[in-house]
Amino acid sequence: MTTPDPAGPQTTYDAVAGTPTQEVVDRAVRKARGALARYRVMALITGVMLLILCVEMIVKYGVGRFVDVDGVMRFVGWIPFAHGWVYVVYLVTVLDLWSKMRWSWGRLATMVFAGVVPVMSFILEKKVHREAEAKLDALVEQYAR
């Protein structure tokens, strides 16, 4: 059984102006900035893991054709699995940020592919950060009272 909120029903829109209240805007911006921070961290981690994976594959399939690398591969065999799980977490942060920013499907696809194309996550992270910050700053300015 739930008890009613003593503050009464929460109004999310100003009845006169038909705009969201300052509290709603502040909460949405705070959540979006949190999602952006998580995305940035995961984009960098995913990019680094992908570069490490590329080096591992070069050693395994390139150098391994000429030199016995089985001894080394025992120590780096975890890299593909780690990158796979890091990529899954990256996808969750991408979906979180994408849904909060209300971007297009094309932006979602680009952000998803950035986790599997070497160096793309670093480049796209900078662009996404810049555009998200500009959009959030404009939103704050638009609803500032």
PDB file of all heavy atoms in Angstrom, residues 11-21 145:
ATOM      1  N   THR A  11       3.449  18.965 -10.192  1.00  0.00           N
ATOM      2  CA  THR A  11       3.152  19.572 -11.477  1.00  0.00           C
ATOM      3  C   THR A  11       4.438  19.634 -12.269  1.00  0.00           C
ATOM      4  O   THR A  11       5.436  20.165 -11.792  1.00  0.00           O
ATOM      5  CB  THR A  11       2.591  20.994 -11.289  1.00  0.00           C
ATOM      6  OG1 THR A  11       1.464  20.915 -10.429  1.00  0.00           O
ATOM      7  CG2 THR A  11       2.203  21.599 -12.604  1.00  0.00           C
ATOM      8  N   THR A  12       4.426  19.073 -13.473  1.00  0.00           N
ATOM      9  CA  THR A  12       5.636  19.069 -14.287  1.00  0.00           C
ATOM     10  C   THR A  12       5.626  20.183 -15.323  1.00  0.00           C
ATOM     11  O   THR A  12       6.642  20.472 -15.911  1.00  0.00           O
ATOM     12  CB  THR A  12       5.797  17.721 -15.003  1.00  0.00           C
ATOM     13  OG1 THR A  12       4.640  17.472 -15.789  1.00  0.00           O
ATOM     14  CG2 THR A  12       5.999  16.598 -14.009  1.00  0.00           C
ATOM     15  N   TYR A  13       4.460  20.803 -15.539  1.00  0.00           N
ATOM     16  CA  TYR A  13       4.374  21.882 -16.506  1.00  0.00           C
ATOM     17  C   TYR A  13       3.713  23.094 -15.877  1.00  0.00           C
ATOM     18  O   TYR A  13       2.810  22.973 -15.056  1.00  0.00           O
ATOM     19  CB  TYR A  13       3.564  21.452 -17.745  1.00  0.00           C
ATOM     20  CG  TYR A  13       4.307  20.505 -18.618  1.00  0.00           C
ATOM     21  CD1 TYR A  13       4.218  19.136 -18.432  1.00  0.00           C
ATOM     22  CD2 TYR A  13       5.138  20.976 -19.618  1.00  0.00           C
ATOM     23  CE1 TYR A  13       4.919  18.259 -19.227  1.00  0.00           C
ATOM     24  CE2 TYR A  13       5.849  20.105 -20.421  1.00  0.00           C
ATOM     25  CZ  TYR A  13       5.736  18.752 -20.220  1.00  0.00           C
ATOM     26  OH  TYR A  13       6.449  17.890 -21.010  1.00  0.00           O
ATOM     27  N   ASP A  14       4.183  24.243 -16.270  1.00  0.00           N
ATOM     28  CA  ASP A  14       3.573  25.493 -15.844  1.00  0.00           C
ATOM     29  C   ASP A  14       2.228  25.608 -16.561  1.00  0.00           C
ATOM     30  O   ASP A  14       2.165  25.596 -17.791  1.00  0.00           O
ATOM     31  CB  ASP A  14       4.493  26.665 -16.220  1.00  0.00           C
ATOM     32  CG  ASP A  14       3.982  27.993 -15.701  1.00  0.00           C
ATOM     33  OD1 ASP A  14       2.824  28.053 -15.249  1.00  0.00           O
ATOM     34  OD2 ASP A  14       4.755  28.961 -15.751  1.00  0.00           O
ATOM     35  N   ALA A  15       1.163  25.677 -15.792  1.00  0.00           N
ATOM     36  CA  ALA A  15      -0.186  25.671 -16.376  1.00  0.00           C
ATOM     37  C   ALA A  15      -0.427  26.882 -17.273  1.00  0.00           C
ATOM     38  O   ALA A  15      -1.127  26.788 -18.278  1.00  0.00           O
ATOM     39  CB  ALA A  15      -1.224  25.632 -15.267  1.00  0.00           C
ATOM     40  N   VAL A  16       0.156  28.015 -16.934  1.00  0.00           N
ATOM     41  CA  VAL A  16      -0.081  29.229 -17.722  1.00  0.00           C
ATOM     42  C   VAL A  16       0.726  29.228 -19.014  1.00  0.00           C
ATOM     43  O   VAL A  16       0.193  29.414 -20.104  1.00  0.00           O
ATOM     44  CB  VAL A  16       0.254  30.484 -16.880  1.00  0.00           C
ATOM     45  CG1 VAL A  16       0.103  31.743 -17.700  1.00  0.00           C
ATOM     46  CG2 VAL A  16      -0.601  30.529 -15.627  1.00  0.00           C
ATOM     47  N   ALA A  17       2.026  28.973 -18.899  1.00  0.00           N
ATOM     48  CA  ALA A  17       2.898  29.065 -20.073  1.00  0.00           C
ATOM     49  C   ALA A  17       2.939  27.768 -20.876  1.00  0.00           C
ATOM     50  O   ALA A  17       3.324  27.775 -22.035  1.00  0.00           O
ATOM     51  CB  ALA A  17       4.312  29.444 -19.643  1.00  0.00           C
ATOM     52  N   GLY A  18       2.578  26.656 -20.276  1.00  0.00           N
ATOM     53  CA  GLY A  18       2.627  25.377 -20.975  1.00  0.00           C
ATOM     54  C   GLY A  18       4.043  24.861 -21.190  1.00  0.00           C
ATOM     55  O   GLY A  18       4.293  24.082 -22.089  1.00  0.00           O
ATOM     56  N   THR A  19       4.972  25.304 -20.352  1.00  0.00           N
ATOM     57  CA  THR A  19       6.364  24.875 -20.454  1.00  0.00           C
ATOM     58  C   THR A  19       6.729  24.048 -19.226  1.00  0.00           C
ATOM     59  O   THR A  19       6.089  24.165 -18.186  1.00  0.00           O
ATOM     60  CB  THR A  19       7.313  26.092 -20.543  1.00  0.00           C
ATOM     61  OG1 THR A  19       7.146  26.880 -19.361  1.00  0.00           O
ATOM     62  CG2 THR A  19       7.029  26.922 -21.777  1.00  0.00           C
ATOM     63  N   PRO A  20       7.769  23.221 -19.333  1.00  0.00           N
ATOM     64  CA  PRO A  20       8.179  22.439 -18.168  1.00  0.00           C
ATOM     65  C   PRO A  20       8.667  23.349 -17.049  1.00  0.00           C
ATOM     66  O   PRO A  20       9.220  24.426 -17.308  1.00  0.00           O
ATOM     67  CB  PRO A  20       9.302  21.554 -18.688  1.00  0.00           C
ATOM     68  CG  PRO A  20       9.552  21.930 -20.088  1.00  0.00           C
ATOM     69  CD  PRO A  20       8.556  22.946 -20.495  1.00  0.00           C
ATOM     70  N   THR A  21       8.490  22.897 -15.821  1.00  0.00           N
ATOM     71  CA  THR A  21       8.970  23.678 -14.683  1.00  0.00           C
ATOM     72  C   THR A  21      10.494  23.635 -14.652  1.00  0.00           C
ATOM     73  O   THR A  21      11.117  22.759 -15.255  1.00  0.00           O
ATOM     74  CB  THR A  21       8.413  23.122 -13.362  1.00  0.00           C
ATOM     75  OG1 THR A  21       8.893  21.790 -13.188  1.00  0.00           O
ATOM     76  CG2 THR A  21       6.894  23.163 -13.339  1.00  0.00           C
ATOM     77  N   ARG A 145      14.877  31.076 -15.976  1.00  0.00           N
ATOM     78  CA  ARG A 145      13.885  32.111 -15.571  1.00  0.00           C
ATOM     79  C   ARG A 145      14.510  33.129 -14.689  1.00  0.00           C
ATOM     80  O   ARG A 145      15.321  32.980 -13.922  1.00  0.00           O
ATOM     81  CB  ARG A 145      12.717  31.455 -14.865  1.00  0.00           C
ATOM     82  CG  ARG A 145      11.972  30.575 -15.820  1.00  0.00           C
ATOM     83  CD  ARG A 145      10.763  29.994 -15.198  1.00  0.00           C
ATOM     84  NE  ARG A 145      10.205  29.097 -16.211  1.00  0.00           N
ATOM     85  CZ  ARG A 145       9.416  28.096 -15.951  1.00  0.00           C
ATOM     86  NH1 ARG A 145       9.054  27.851 -14.747  1.00  0.00           N
ATOM     87  NH2 ARG A 145       8.952  27.329 -16.896  1.00  0.00           N
TER      88      ARG A 145
END
